[in-house]
Amino acid sequence: QVRLVESGGGLVQAGGSLRLSCAASGRTFLGYAVGWFRQAPGKEREFVAAISWPAGSTYYRDSVKGRFTISRDNAKNTVNLQMSSLVPEDTAVYYCAARPTSYGFVYERGDLYDYWGQGTQVTVSS
């Protein structure tokens, strides 16, 4: 069983930055693909970014390309989402998710992930 815990959310002004972290307990992230998703009030959950195992491949939704960066820190057993140039439309609860994977695959669909964190709130004020 893998337990995921997100951290790093908060309130930031438009144009600011936040760094989200997803930590795994119960086992390491080795051999797991990890994704970040978000859900705004009244909206469906949407894909944000994903990273393969090992960290050779990344994939982003169009609206965050060039602003968000997903990365792995194997020494700390975390996957991070660096978010810059934030806009109010980025306001949502952000979730990380993980699944065992073969070499190099990334996954955009949420139903392909086996484990989910509880989420962390990101609020961007205008």
Side-chain angles (χ1 to χ4, degrees):
Q1 186 73 17
V2 178
R3 180 171 176 261
L4 305 179
V5 179
E6 303 94 338
S7 62
L11 173 64
V12 64
Q13 288 188 332
S17 299
L18 281 175
R19 180 182 176 89
L20 305 183
S21 289
C22 177
S25 63
R27 64 150 293 147
T28 72
F29 269 135
L30 302 182
Y32 279 69
V34 178
W36 282 96
F37 294 78
R38 66 188 181 186
Q39 187 166 21
K43 295 187 177 181
E44 293 188 353
R45 182 183 66 196
E46 63 183 18
F47 167 80
V48 177
I51 191 165
S52 66
W53 167 260
S57 298
T58 57
Y59 185 65
Y60 301 89
R61 70 178 298 107
D62 286 346
S63 64
V64 307
K65 286 179 181 177
R67 300 190 298 122
F68 290 12
T69 302
I70 188 171
S71 62
R72 307 183 75 112
D73 186 335
N74 293 330
K76 295 183 178 179
N77 201 32
T78 60
V79 172
N80 303 308
L81 185 68
Q82 178 67 46
M83 307 186 295
S84 303
S85 301
L86 286 161
V87 298
E89 292 72 26
D90 294 319
T91 295
V93 177
Y94 283 70
Y95 300 89
C96 68
R99 63 157 289 157
T101 184
S102 299
Y103 186 98
F105 285 94
V106 291
Y107 304 90
E108 180 180 1
R109 287 170 42 190
D111 62 342
L112 295 178
Y113 287 87
D114 299 315
Y115 304 102
W116 291 81
Q118 83 291 345
T120 185
Q121 176 70 48
V122 171
T123 303
V124 184
S125 64
S126 58

